[in-house]
Amino acid sequence: MADYTIGKLTRTRANGSKHWAYCIIWWDGSRRKRISLKTADRVSAEAEARRLWERLAKPQELNTVGDIIDAYLGPLGSPSGVPDDKRKREAWRAAKGYWADLNPRVIDEQVSLAYPVWRKRAVNTHRSELSLVRTALNWAVRQNKLEKAPKITLPPQPETSAGHLTKVQFRKFLNGCAAPHVKLFAMLAVTTGGRKSAILEAKWSQVDFDRALLQLNPEGRTQNSKFRATVPLNGVILPALKEARKEASSPYIIEHRGARLLDIKKGILAAARRSGVRAHPHMFRHSAAVWMAEDRVPMSEIAAYLGHRDINVTT
């Protein structure tokens, strides 16, 4: 490995304040890499850099699945270049207890089939975590660190149960919304196709009233697999937003008692009971897609609206 240098790395805290620490910097081919040394003291930073560099420069022996995935993801705090790095690290934290000490040579199909029994989570969670293991093992083969990748079998993709509402059902549901913030959420979700998390995190600063646009991806957020688009605001939701803006007492579009709302499930469930229309938050996003398809909107436009990078997901 090439030599390293020591520089400074500045980060912004959640409250907006900035702090810095020394970091170790090196080049891996054409890619510049940095890892924080977590100190602002130069002598301590140099000592930590020497220790860290000795470990980084030492050839890694990849004897277990844990060794391989740690090498694939790279050291924590270092930009690995792996797509969706944060999500993959979260998946590995959950899967580590099962996979870390396994030697790839002893893994057969039954090992991956037994994982969901051990994990006891939803099918999509199993698929995400098993995909990470499979991707890392295939990476090790391409890097000539593993002769052959064992077979990792993912459980079948479940059929979607989200469903959708007709326009008549949606109007009936709105009549069951006793709380203004629940009604506004439902209207915003069904007219923008936004995911629940994107709408609950949206601030008034993301609304362009002059151009009738909502930027679902806030400033400072890096786009990931859950891509957030900039969407138009139609003649139904725009006036509703303008009215809500007059009464707003927080930076967030969907607020309750002057504060950001972390979840909307209870409010949606209560409105569903009052109206007699079965509904849950993700159903509004599906409804938006179905309504556009019924109006003969091209699939490519629907995909862009929903933030799908793969049109097959939309289809």
Side-chain angles (χ1 to χ4, degrees):
M1 295 176 71
D3 261 345
Y4 66 87
T5 58
I6 293 177
K8 292 182 179 180
L9 187 62
T10 302
R11 299 202 183 276
T12 304
R13 293 191 176 97
N15 62 8
S17 64
K18 294 183 182 296
H19 69 104
W20 69 271
Y22 284 109
C23 66
I24 182 173
I25 305 169
W26 76 99
W27 288 87
D28 183 2
S30 61
R31 186 181 297 155
R32 180 172 176 259
K33 292 193 170 185
R34 298 182 298 172
I35 299 179
S36 174
L37 297 169
K38 298 181 179 178
T39 179
D41 177 72
R42 180 74 189 196
V43 175
S44 299
E46 289 176 351
E48 176 62 16
R50 288 192 295 271
R51 186 196 66 78
L52 183 59
W53 189 248
E54 183 179 353
R55 182 167 66 83
L56 289 170
K58 184 179 179 180
Q60 285 181 289
E61 293 184 7
L62 307 183
N63 298 317
T64 66
V65 174
D67 293 338
I68 290 171
I69 294 183
D70 286 341
Y72 170 65
L73 294 175
L76 186 63
S78 169
S80 64
V82 175
D84 297 332
D85 176 87
K86 182 179 178 182
R87 181 177 62 81
K88 283 186 169 66
R89 290 184 190 277
E90 290 172 353
W92 178 230
R93 279 198 293 271
K96 200 170 186 176
Y98 184 90
W99 291 99
D101 296 329
L102 287 176
N103 187 309
R105 289 192 297 273
V106 305
I107 295 173
D108 57 18
E109 189 174 7
Q110 290 304 313
V111 172
S112 53
L113 289 176
Y115 179 70
V117 179
W118 178 86
R119 184 73 171 101
K120 294 182 175 63
R121 289 293 187 275
V123 173
N124 284 331
T125 299
H126 299 154
R127 288 178 59 86
S128 174
E129 292 164 5
L130 287 169
S131 291
L132 166 65
V133 175
R134 184 169 65 182
T135 299
L137 291 170
N138 289 333
W139 168 85
V141 172
R142 293 195 301 272
Q143 298 292 319
N144 296 317
K145 298 177 183 294
L146 185 65
E147 184 177 341
K148 182 182 178 181
K151 183 176 182 180
I152 303 295
T153 303
L154 274 61
Q157 179 73 51
E159 292 293 327
T160 179
S161 59
H164 71 280
L165 301 176
T166 65
K167 292 179 181 179
V168 172
Q169 288 174 323
F170 182 70
R171 284 193 289 269
K172 187 177 178 182
F173 173 83
L174 287 184
N175 289 334
C177 293
H181 68 278
V182 175
K183 185 175 183 178
L184 183 62
F185 173 89
M187 293 177 65
L188 197 56
V190 86
T191 56
T192 67
R195 294 179 179 86
K196 179 182 73 171
S197 56
I199 293 174
L200 292 180
E201 292 169 12
K203 297 181 178 181
W204 288 110
S205 58
Q206 294 168 234
V207 182
D208 186 333
F209 285 104
D210 294 331
R211 296 192 295 165
L213 294 173
L214 172 62
Q215 183 179 314
L216 287 170
N217 194 53
E219 186 177 350
R221 176 186 177 271
T222 302
Q223 293 281 20
N224 56 25
S225 59
K226 302 292 186 182
F227 188 86
R228 297 185 184 181
T230 296
V231 296
L233 299 170
N234 65 22
V236 174
I237 190 60
L238 190 60
L241 285 173
K242 288 180 178 178
E243 285 300 313
R245 184 70 183 93
K246 294 176 185 176
E247 304 296 327
S249 55
S250 84
Y252 293 93
I253 298 174
I254 306 299
E255 64 173 24
H256 183 51
R257 295 176 179 172
R260 174 192 169 190
L261 196 66
L262 298 179
D263 205 348
I264 195 82
K265 284 182 180 178
K266 288 184 179 179
I268 297 296
L269 181 60
R273 286 172 177 164
R274 289 191 204 95
S275 65
V277 176
R278 176 183 171 273
H280 54 79
H282 201 63
M283 190 179 283
F284 303 128
R285 176 172 164 84
H286 277 232
S287 301
V290 171
W291 295 357
M292 284 188 279
E294 289 174 345
D295 289 338
R296 302 294 188 270
V297 175
M299 201 59 64
S300 57
E301 289 186 27
I302 300 176
Y305 208 92
L306 298 178
H308 290 164
R309 289 174 170 171
D310 182 353
I311 197 171
N312 290 320
V313 174
T314 315
T315 306

